[in-house]
């Protein structure tokens, strides 16, 4: 085991002195949509149940991260976290921790109208939802499910229950919904949602991603500036993935997350835990560190924490997508989480 200074006591510090304080916890690799930029129509072979961390195991690892490793934010992701039966209780046990971490949920909002109240009561702070269009036919084309109405109901419920700001993440696909960017922004402003456009990333299970077909940040601005005046928001971006812009002088804003063409790895404060107990120190990591085995073999919190520190210490400078040697991770986005 690596015993360099970074791994002895303290937080999750990498060799570039970036400190990971934002933990993304994937609670499942399963999902009830089939977004074409994520997985094939038939879905994927889901993780065997006995490989997925139990609720107790997830909560113990989150407690170690918050109480021993300096994690201050916990975001629950998937697959689709709303399909995880124990979600509300996991949220409740996380927000009961001292110090209390900020919590968020990244979801496709299907079924959120049923659980928003319970999640709020359990202490969840806010929601990020994925939505690429407000046209039912385009929604069905991208996700292979005719469920736009349910998603919109879920978003309304999130707002009603105070899981705010409700942030919307949208991916533009060339020739599919890229012409709907301005319409989507107008709708988000009218409904008081914070919209962010995300460049499609090479994380699809099918490995169909191509740089030349991806809609770039510059093209996104091009689609918006035909209808809106965008000015950079006067704020310290810090480690936030989104560049934010005032729309027509504000107060409405729009964000652009340009992971590929404008990477923001230099200030990255994120670390990920997969549903099967692996630490990923980067979304595009090709190596993972196993915490599930030592956890089930009886390791104590100090040993788990030391392994976690070692996993982050070896983090690469960035995703390397522009490197000709770049290799897409074998684990798909649906098993890593947002
Ligand atoms: S690509 Fe990796 S290093 Fe870069 S911002 Fe994302 S998680 Fe951080």
């Amino acid at each position: 085991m690596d015993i360099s200074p970074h791994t002895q006591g303290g937080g999750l510090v990498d060799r570039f002195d970036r400190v990971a304080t934002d933990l993304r916890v994937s609670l499942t690799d399963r999902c009830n949509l089939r977004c074409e930029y994520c997985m094939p129509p038939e879905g994927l072979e889901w993780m065997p149940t006995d490989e997925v961390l139990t609720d107790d195991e997830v909560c113990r690892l989150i407690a170690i991260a918050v109480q021993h490793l300096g994690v201050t934010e916990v975001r629950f992701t998937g697959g689709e976290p709303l399909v995880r039966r124990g979600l509300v209780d996991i949220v409740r046990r996380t927000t009961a921790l001292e110090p209390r971490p900020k919590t968020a949920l990244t979801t496709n909002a299907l079924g959120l109208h049923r659980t928003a109240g319970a999640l709020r009561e359990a202490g969840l702070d806010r929601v990020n939802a994925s939505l690429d269009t407000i046209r039912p036919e385009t929604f069905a084309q991208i996700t292979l499910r005719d469920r736009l109405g349910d998603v919109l109901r879920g978003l309304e419920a999130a707002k009603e229950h105070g899981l705010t700001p409700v942030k919307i993440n949208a991916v533009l696909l060339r020739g599919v919904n890229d012409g709907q960017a301005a319409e989507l922004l107008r709708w988000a402003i009218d409904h008081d949602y914070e919209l962010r456009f995300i460049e499609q990333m090479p994380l699809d299970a099918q490995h169909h991603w191509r740089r030349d077909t991806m809609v770039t940040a510059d093209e996104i601005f091009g689609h918006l500036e035909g209808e809106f005046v965008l000015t950079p928001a006067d704020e310290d971006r810090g480690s936030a993935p989104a560049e934010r812009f005032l729309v027509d002088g504000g107060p409405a804003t729009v964000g652009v997350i340009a992971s590929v063409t404008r990477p923001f790895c230099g200030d990255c404060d994120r670390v990920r835990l997969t549903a099967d107990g692996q630490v990923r120190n980067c979304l595009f990591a090709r190596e993972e560190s196993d915490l599930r085995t030592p956890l089930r073999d009886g390791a104590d919190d100090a040993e788990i924490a030391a392994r976690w520190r070692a996993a982050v210490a070896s983090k690469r400078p960035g995703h390397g997508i522009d490197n000709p040697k770049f290799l897409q991770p074998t684990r798909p986005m649906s098993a890593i989480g947002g």
Side-chain angles (χ1 to χ4, degrees), residues 18 264-265 268 270 272 282-284 315 317-319:
R18 295 170 296 188
F264 37 86
C265 303
C268 182
R270 291 165 290 281
R272 290 175 167 82
C282 168
L283 195 50
F284 294 90
K315 184 168 179 167
H319 52 49

